[in-house]
Amino acid sequence: MATQHGKGGAAEHSAPAVVATRPASPPSPPSQDGKSAHGASEVVAINEQANAPEDAVTTVDELEASKKGRFAYFKTKDFYIVLVLGQVLALCVTSTNTFSSLLVAQGTSIPAFQTFFNYVLLNLVYTSFTFYRYGFARWCRLVLRDGWKYIILAFLDVQGNYFTVLAYRYTTILSAQLINFFAIVTVVIVSFCFLRVRYHITQVIGILICIGGVGILIASDHITGATSPENPISTGDQVKGDLFALLGAFCYGLSNVAEEFLVSKRPLYEVVGQLAFWAMIWNGAQAGIFDRASFRTATWNGPVGGYLVGYTLILSLFYSLAPVLFRLSSAAFFNVSLLTGNFWGVCIGVEVFGLQIHWMYPVAFVCIVGGLLVYFVGRKVLGEATKPWLGRNQEGGVMGVGTARRKVVKGANVV
């Protein structure tokens, strides 16, 4: 996980300050917290602002005026980072889906317990680092003040993982991957209603083009019979599996929006650490209740152990990279990017499950990628990094890797 930068190694830990064209006063001590208009605590680092040249501190309007035109965002390095990062995450999701299918094929279906190791690993890394940065007393204050937010986030995340993995007990890898479509709908509606996000016409068109690409994939699956009950990875009750996948997508959509909101205002290590801490508790309790019978009847051998290790490592990488994409872009683009996972899933399935690539799959992939490009047409230099709930100059946000506030403070040299 990328670390945040600040004077003397302190990262993202100062009192809120409004960004102006010139720093008006020295930064406040790095231990003070503020409150946002939405009630969430802010930890805004401005140590870098004190070290930066005076002419590097600017406003959002000045920064976005540095490049003009409908393709201004395409001229920034952030565009390519976002595009590549989205596909890396899509490959991560496809890989974890593949491991889930392989576990089911071995006779091991433990939806809650399977994800438990991921939260343990994330805890060891991020919660430990949070203790190092905050100290035990401050960590306890964080839990008392903001713990309820992370408890809700963790619950949604655990249920998303649980029902998605459970879906593989009944349906196929290709069918279950279509859950991303409903997650997009959830993200767009929740972001519009609660976070005041307003979507540009090209963003709507881009999303529709991507969904059209998924439609081509569905048509191809029906033509080739890839999602039929005769598929050896499915147990035949595919409708039940698809319903579980839909419920998982709904929980994922809610958790994505919540995480985008939190990670824009708090350090990455705090958000991921708190998510993992509470999710480990939720997940452990759920595994003890629902997975006891499955655990006793599961197959335990070398391949199953290898699949669990691969699933845990890749899922932990996914959890480490996703918050960066939430900062650079949005939960909507995050979910749209994951639609290419259907194509990557078939590419992997050719070798692992003996699937056939229909000629419509490359067409669908090109359609989805084209939709991702259209999504950013008309966007300015900062793209979706500027969050409407953080203020005009993002003064309500944290100054960390990928945030618009960091770009505003450091100037045009970061875009």
Side-chain angles (χ1 to χ4, degrees), residues 19 48 56-60 63 73 76-79 81-82 324 327-329 381-386 393-394 398-415:
V19 176
E48 285 192 15
V57 184
T58 182
T59 65
V60 168
L63 190 58
Y73 189 61
T76 68
K77 63 181 180 182
D78 279 0
F79 166 73
I81 293 174
V82 164
V324 180
R327 283 181 169 182
L328 286 168
S329 186
V381 168
L382 293 176
E384 290 187 301
T386 52
N393 289 311
Q394 305 297 283
V398 68
M399 195 180 79
V401 170
T403 63
R405 177 164 174 77
R406 180 172 183 267
K407 294 177 176 63
V408 168
V409 170
K410 294 182 72 66
N413 59 337
V414 297
V415 296

Side-chain angles (χ1 to χ4, degrees), residues 76-200:
T76 68
K77 63 181 180 182
D78 279 0
F79 166 73
Y80 300 98
I81 293 174
V82 164
L83 204 62
V84 172
L85 186 56
Q87 294 313 296
V88 170
L89 292 173
L91 282 170
C92 286
V93 170
T94 300
S95 300
T96 55
N97 290 343
T98 302
F99 280 123
S100 295
S101 292
L102 289 171
L103 286 168
V104 172
Q106 288 284 329
T108 302
S109 179
I110 43 176
F113 185 76
Q114 177 177 324
T115 313
F116 180 76
F117 298 109
N118 165 61
Y119 296 126
V120 171
L121 180 58
L122 290 172
N123 250 310
L124 291 174
V125 176
Y126 293 107
T127 302
S128 299
F129 188 71
T130 306
F131 273 124
Y132 168 74
R133 299 306 300 265
Y134 288 3
F136 182 73
R138 188 179 177 191
W139 184 87
C140 289
R141 289 197 298 271
L142 165 69
V143 171
L144 291 175
R145 185 188 63 220
D146 295 327
W148 64 273
K149 303 171 189 174
Y150 293 113
I151 290 174
I152 295 174
L153 173 64
F155 175 80
L156 293 171
D157 189 77
V158 168
Q159 302 317 310
N161 283 329
Y162 176 77
F163 286 110
T164 299
V165 175
L166 184 62
Y168 288 97
R169 185 183 295 177
Y170 306 100
T171 189
T172 66
I173 183 174
L174 297 179
S175 181
Q177 284 176 344
L178 298 178
I179 66 171
N180 292 310
F181 167 72
F182 191 65
I184 293 171
V185 176
T186 302
V187 165
V188 169
I189 293 176
V190 173
S191 297
F192 182 88
C193 294
F194 296 100
L195 297 183
R196 305 198 307 269
V197 175
R198 297 298 178 260
Y199 295 94
H200 191 271

